[in-house]
Amino acid sequence: MGGWAIAVHGGAGVDPNLPQERQEQAKQLLTRCLNLGISALRSSLPAIDVVELVVRELETDPLFNSGRGSALTEKGTVEMEASIMDGPRRRCGAVSGLTTVKNPVSLARLVMDKSPHSYLAFSGAEEFARQQGVELVENEYFITEDNVGMLKLAKEANKIVFDYRIPALGLETCSAGAGMVESALQMNGLPISIYAPETVGCVVVDSQGRCAAATSTGGLMNKMSGRIGDSPLIGAGTYACDLCAVSCTGEGEAIIRGTLARDVAAVMEYKGLQLQDAVDYVIKKRLDEGKAGMIAVSSNGEVAYGFNTTGMFRGCATEDGFMEVGIWE
Amino acid sequence: MGWAIALHGGAGDIPLSLPPERRAPREAALRHCLQLGVAALKAKQPPLDVVELVVRELENSPCFNAGKGSVLTTQGTVEMEACIMDGNTKNCGAVSGLSTVVNAISLARLVMEKTPHIYLAFEGAEAFAREQGVETVDASHFITPENIERLKQAKEANRVQIDYTQPIQKDLQNETHIASGDSQIGTVGCVAVDDQGNLASATSTGGLVNKMVGRIGDTPVIGAGIYANRFCAVSATGKGESIIRATVARDVAALMEYKGLSLKEAAAYVIEECVPKGDAGLVAVSATGEVTMQFNTTGMFRACATEDGFSEIGIWPSV
């Protein structure tokens, strides 16, 4: 017990047919980010700084759905959101509707540290970004070819592609309840869902027992412009307090409705559950029909994760040398 | 068991010296909205419809910080937000950054019922409003002289004012000047339960005086300013940043569910232990028809009624 711990995720809901090389790429990125976090922890950087720097790395890499590589809105643009929370005094910062900010998680941090508010969005957030002098780029910077292709297919099928829905030979759909598909949408010969990009997140407890969490995303492919998901909502996609830190991914609407991140801490605090039991409880009981996953750390140096989707890109490590990167159960 | 309803017009530093000409219209508005809500419950309207219609009425009143009468951003504009939640399904709808929509709460309901999403904001929300054909007006409709004055005061003091922070004591004779602590406006909300235990909650606001453009508060954040499940329905008000951090509305329900506290005990715990003094208030009803209204601020504009005939309209602590 005690000591630092870290977990990262690149999203819940992975198609079992994901080509091996993409699985490898994902695992390498997760490993790299984990190592970045571990070095930082070994140099005694506080948890709040570690989660920010790890999520920045995930945003910068185009592989997952955040920063560069974000999912596209119905207009073909990128609207990013993120949140960060510091356990000790439950300070928090969140942003939504960003179109030019290279690292949304860092702007969320600035909202927390440098503004009188907790949450800024759209043009107000962009204006704040300019005032703060953060790195800004053109919206095109964030857009990748893969995502342009996916958006096109999603529009053709007139659907919103969730991160994780895998059409099982026409029995399930990729859509938000729009009905059945005759044949799975294909791109490069493979089902579209396998390319569906994923939210990212990081949770850390440092050697002082301080917990922090951060989550970042481009949201749902083909989402309505102006749609806000769970990632910037404190208590839904992100939460940290004295006991633990949590970052969630998956069906945004289900995560919001289930106030997932807060509930992990609430069952620890009010029911006395330990971290893994709390994660399992929330995944099992708070999602109803929804699909999601999460990573969590406790102030005791434990790390845990859980998901009811097919797979979740994740990595975790603790001070006593434990390290694991995985996708499947 | 039986139906119950509670509504609020905001918690904050409402001075005890509030002059009658500022007090009477607000009490009248609370009474009127309570009657509307009670009549609807007696007519067996679903709680989701009841909370929406009550909050629409509160939004239309210029007395409170929602819809017409919303406080102003640092640029002198109005950016409204609202949220509605259904206890049985935990379906919810939220909107932020509205500037022309007459009834933000109704747009929140449409997001819930007509889109695959929960939350739409700013231009995207305004575009959705136009698609849905909801009533929109010129942004100037929502702006009142009192709020222009409040903003001016806040800028002079170079602060972001929570709904009810007492302003600087300057010219006490000036009628329109909001001295003697006239910041008596705030977020609005309504919670209701019918005699079957169906619960719903709705909250709406213009936010903080002199807020940064784009600032989102607790109102549209599920679990912070609003929550409903099969245990209770909660609507909170006060300093948004504190309410978010403490996930106020969710915690009331969580304490009932995970620790077996009663509605009143849960609400008291959250208000007394989880948020700084002077920062929050809430109204809540439980599935069994109980009601509670609690605050750690100077006052909270509030009203409630239950099927067994109890009713209360108040501003300051009852005791």
Side-chain angles (χ1 to χ4, degrees):
Chain A
M1 289 297 214
W4 55 255
I6 176 172
V8 299
H9 74 74
V14 189
D15 190 315
N17 297 316
L18 187 68
Q20 199 53 39
E21 67 206 69
R22 285 192 80 109
Q23 290 190 43
E24 277 315 305
Q25 271 181 302
K27 281 162 63 169
Q28 275 167 32
L29 175 57
L30 290 165
T31 305
R32 193 172 87 235
C33 291
L34 214 52
N35 284 328
L36 205 65
I38 291 170
S39 300
L41 282 162
R42 287 188 178 141
S43 344
S44 301
L45 212 59
I48 189 74
D49 291 339
V50 180
V51 297
E52 183 190 355
L53 92 92
V54 170
V55 172
R56 281 177 67 94
E57 190 68 22
L58 290 161
E59 284 170 341
T60 305
D61 193 294
L63 189 68
F64 295 130
N65 176 12
S66 66
R68 187 146 171 264
S70 280
L72 306 181
T73 68
E74 61 180 1
K75 294 181 179 167
T77 55
V78 160
E79 282 174 13
M80 300 169 288
E81 47 198 16
S83 63
I84 189 166
M85 192 161 186
D86 189 16
R89 284 182 297 135
R90 290 174 300 158
R91 296 180 317 124
C92 44
V95 287
S96 282
L98 300 183
T99 53
T100 66
V101 175
K102 186 151 180 268
N103 287 102
V105 71
S106 293
L107 192 68
R109 174 105 194 244
L110 287 168
V111 171
M112 177 173 83
D113 289 343
K114 298 278 167 71
S115 87
H117 301 317
S118 295
Y119 191 4
L120 290 180
F122 292 88
S123 60
E126 291 271 323
E127 179 52 37
F128 178 67
R130 264 183 284 290
Q131 286 166 13
Q132 292 292 315
V134 302
E135 194 177 352
L136 302 175
V137 292
E138 294 292 312
N139 198 250
E140 284 71 37
Y141 162 87
F142 304 102
I143 299 174
T144 60
E145 233 177 83
D146 273 357
N147 283 330
V148 171
M150 285 201 52
L151 179 65
K152 187 155 169 289
L153 290 174
K155 280 179 174 300
E156 275 162 21
N158 195 26
K159 291 177 199 302
I160 289 165
V161 180
F162 287 116
D163 290 356
Y164 48 82
R165 293 282 182 189
I166 296 149
L169 302 165
L171 289 175
E172 287 179 69
T173 77
C174 279
S175 77
M180 310 267 254
V181 266
E182 300 252 308
S183 58
L185 298 170
Q186 300 253 318
M187 184 163 79
N188 299 338
L190 290 157
I192 192 176
S193 61
I194 74 168
Y195 295 98
E198 315 280 18
T199 295
V200 303
C202 179
V203 291
V204 162
V205 54
D206 60 27
S207 48
Q208 317 271 307
R210 296 173 295 205
C211 300
T215 312
S216 179
T217 191
L220 292 184
M221 184 65 76
N222 202 24
K223 66 183 179 179
M224 290 170 76
S225 175
R227 178 260 189 185
I228 291 177
D230 67 290
S231 300
L233 300 187
I234 299 297
T238 302
Y239 190 73
C241 61
D242 284 333
L243 289 178
C244 65
V246 185
S247 171
C248 302
T249 164
E251 225 174 83
E253 282 70 15
I255 294 168
I256 292 173
R257 210 178 271 139
T259 53
L260 240 50
R262 171 60 184 129
D263 267 46
V264 172
V267 298
M268 289 182 74
E269 193 176 343
Y270 301 144
K271 275 172 87 82
L273 296 192
Q274 294 300 299
L275 188 72
Q276 186 68 59
D277 290 336
V279 167
D280 293 341
Y281 180 95
V282 170
I283 292 286
K284 191 161 168 204
K285 300 220 178 232
R286 292 276 85 97
L287 280 170
D288 302 325
E289 307 299 315
K291 297 285 189 200
M294 60 174 59
I295 52 174
V297 289
S298 72
S299 54
N300 290 338
E302 300 160 290
V303 70
Y305 58 81
F307 49 94
N308 68 355
T309 50
T310 308
M312 178 171 76
F313 293 110
R314 76 223 173 243
C316 43
T318 57
E319 188 165 6
D320 62 13
F322 168 75
M323 181 154 159
E324 177 196 285
V325 171
I327 303 179
W328 315 113
E329 279 293 338
Chain B
M1 256 175 71
W3 57 255
I5 180 171
L7 55 108
H8 69 78
D13 192 14
I14 309 168
L16 290 154
S17 57
L18 190 67
E21 65 270 20
R22 297 206 179 279
R23 186 178 158 166
R26 286 161 177 85
E27 282 174 330
L30 290 169
R31 184 168 295 112
H32 171 67
C33 292
L34 185 68
Q35 281 165 358
L36 272 179
V38 167
L41 281 165
K42 284 179 170 164
K44 307 275 187 207
Q45 282 199 49
L48 197 62
D49 291 350
V50 176
V51 300
E52 184 190 355
L53 79 93
V54 170
V55 169
R56 281 176 67 95
E57 199 66 20
L58 288 162
E59 284 171 339
N60 294 341
S61 164
C63 297
F64 302 116
N65 175 14
K68 191 172 164 83
S70 282
V71 300
L72 306 180
T73 70
T74 196
Q75 289 188 7
T77 55
V78 158
E79 281 177 8
M80 300 170 288
E81 47 197 18
C83 188
I84 190 165
M85 190 161 186
D86 173 39
N88 285 337
T89 57
K90 290 191 294 186
N91 280 341
C92 32
V95 286
S96 281
L98 300 181
S99 51
T100 67
V101 175
V102 174
N103 290 103
I105 194 65
S106 295
L107 192 69
R109 182 139 185 207
L110 288 169
V111 172
M112 177 172 84
E113 291 174 346
K114 298 280 167 72
T115 77
H117 300 321
I118 282 182
Y119 192 1
L120 288 182
F122 292 88
E123 272 174 38
E126 289 272 325
F128 176 66
R130 268 169 257 304
E131 271 169 46
Q132 292 291 313
V134 301
E135 196 184 350
T136 56
V137 290
D138 187 83
S140 57
H141 160 90
F142 304 99
I143 300 176
T144 59
E146 290 84 4
N147 280 313
I148 293 174
E149 184 56 37
R150 273 189 197 97
L151 179 63
K152 183 157 165 286
Q153 286 240 318
K155 281 179 176 294
E156 277 162 16
N158 195 27
R159 70 179 171 208
V160 173
Q161 205 169 305
I162 79 164
D163 303 343
Y164 288 102
T165 306
Q166 301 216 24
I168 311 98
Q169 300 287 335
K170 279 207 288 202
D171 179 0
L172 290 168
Q173 271 99 24
N174 190 340
E175 253 306 295
T176 60
H177 186 81
I178 50 172
S180 35
D182 170 82
S183 35
Q184 70 284 54
I185 61 164
T187 298
V188 304
C190 179
V191 292
V193 60
D194 64 17
D195 57 16
Q196 306 291 304
N198 298 309
L199 291 146
S201 176
T203 312
S204 180
T205 189
L208 293 186
V209 181
N210 201 22
K211 65 182 179 178
M212 290 171 73
V213 169
R215 178 262 187 185
I216 291 177
D218 63 288
T219 294
V221 180
I222 305 292
I226 184 172
Y227 192 73
N229 64 3
R230 56 192 178 81
F231 284 84
C232 63
V234 185
S235 171
T237 165
K239 184 153 183 271
E241 285 71 12
S242 299
I243 294 169
I244 289 174
R245 185 182 285 151
T247 55
V248 166
R250 174 64 186 118
D251 269 40
V252 173
L255 284 161
M256 290 181 74
E257 184 173 355
Y258 300 142
K259 274 190 101 102
L261 296 193
S262 71
L263 182 75
K264 282 186 160 56
E265 287 166 343
Y269 182 86
V270 171
I271 288 295
E272 282 158 30
E273 308 288 336
C274 304
V275 281
K277 188 153 170 60
D279 276 14
L282 63 87
V283 298
V285 289
S286 72
T288 53
E290 302 159 285
V291 68
T292 188
M293 304 189 291
Q294 307 206 26
F295 47 99
N296 67 11
T297 49
T298 310
M300 180 170 79
F301 290 107
R302 64 197 187 279
C304 69
T306 59
E307 188 164 6
D308 62 13
F310 172 74
S311 89
E312 182 191 318
I313 295 180
I315 303 177
W316 297 282
S318 323
V319 186

